[in-house]
Amino acid sequence: MSLLFNPTLFIVIITVLVSLAAWQSQALMARLIFYPPAIARGQVDRFVTHGFIHADTMHLLFNMITLFSFGQAVQRFFNAHLGGLGFILFYLVALVVASVPSYLQHKDDRRYSSLGASGAVMAVVFSYILFDPWTRIYFFIIPMPAIVFALLYVGYSIWAHDRGGSSVNHSAHLVGGMFGVVATILIEPHVVGQFAYQMTHPRF
């Protein structure tokens, strides 16, 4: 794999291009979106394709800025352990895993659909937090340690999922984040000890 190849940037560029194309074509949007009844009929590629389309500009920008911010560090870990395409493999599997609960819940629901890369992006974010939980991140303009963001995000996602009434797939966010943690630990179990040490030595 060329040293000039940046997997995170590659995913961002492809996602932006596909999202722009889907905004111009309702037929393309309909074919790529996560629609469980279509998956049940054999269109399993939707487990992945829905992560490359977004609802609007803010949805796209939020996910891609977050992915680019955290992906640079996480890609080095997965590429080192799984080869030059390791990070891309991790990202694509995260898209699938994060969507499985929604598929099982809505596979017969013709009114349900979802889109966006949030499940895989959360996998990247939570993987990063294992390595550096006290790094400062900005949620919009509010600075906070990454581990605080993670706890607040999990709490909000659980509350919003139980509350319902939204088109946002909060379960994909939660499952994606959990997948990021589990995948990272399975590949490098020593990260648990490193995380525990850092948690007992906070930086503010």
Side-chain angles (χ1 to χ4, degrees):
M1 186 63 61
S2 170
L3 294 176
L4 299 177
F5 179 71
N6 185 319
T8 302
L9 182 59
F10 175 76
I11 293 172
V12 169
I13 291 173
I14 295 298
T15 304
V16 170
L17 292 176
V18 174
S19 291
L20 291 174
W23 292 343
Q24 302 302 316
S25 170
Q26 290 185 353
L28 180 61
M29 177 71 78
R31 180 57 186 84
L32 300 181
I33 202 167
F34 185 80
Y35 184 54
I39 294 174
R41 295 195 300 267
Q43 295 180 1
V44 294
D45 58 292
R46 291 175 185 261
F47 274 115
V48 171
T49 59
H50 78 278
F52 292 90
I53 55 175
H54 289 76
D56 52 41
T57 302
M58 287 304 299
H59 188 204
L60 176 64
L61 284 177
F62 180 82
N63 273 340
M64 293 303 99
I65 290 173
T66 303
L67 173 61
F68 190 78
S69 299
F70 290 93
Q72 303 299 303
V74 176
Q75 72 181 19
R76 290 194 290 270
F77 171 79
F78 283 97
N79 285 355
H81 288 81
L82 301 178
L85 295 177
F87 178 74
I88 292 179
L89 176 63
F90 164 71
Y91 186 86
L92 295 179
V93 173
L95 280 176
V96 175
V97 172
S99 301
V100 168
S102 296
Y103 169 72
L104 295 175
Q105 182 179 356
H106 297 285
K107 63 181 179 179
D108 297 318
D109 186 354
R110 296 183 177 275
R111 297 173 299 174
Y112 180 86
S113 63
S114 67
L115 74 173
S118 299
V121 171
M122 285 301 107
V124 174
V125 171
F126 276 67
S127 175
Y128 179 91
I129 289 171
L130 281 177
F131 297 106
D132 195 358
W134 296 109
T135 190
R136 180 183 297 178
I137 65 173
Y138 288 85
F139 182 66
F140 294 101
I141 60 172
I142 303 173
M144 64 182 68
I147 187 63
V148 173
F149 167 80
L151 293 174
L152 290 175
Y153 192 89
V154 168
Y156 167 75
S157 294
I158 293 173
W159 172 80
H161 176 71
D162 291 341
R163 182 170 179 262
S166 170
S167 61
V168 177
N169 190 350
H170 294 287
S171 68
H173 300 174
L174 291 169
V175 176
M178 288 188 290
F179 172 78
V181 170
V182 171
T184 303
I185 292 173
L186 288 176
I187 292 172
E188 182 50 79
H190 291 106
V191 74
V192 176
Q194 297 169 8
F195 175 77
Y197 175 82
Q198 292 195 68
M199 287 300 297
T200 59
H201 295 77
R203 308 190 316 268
F204 296 101

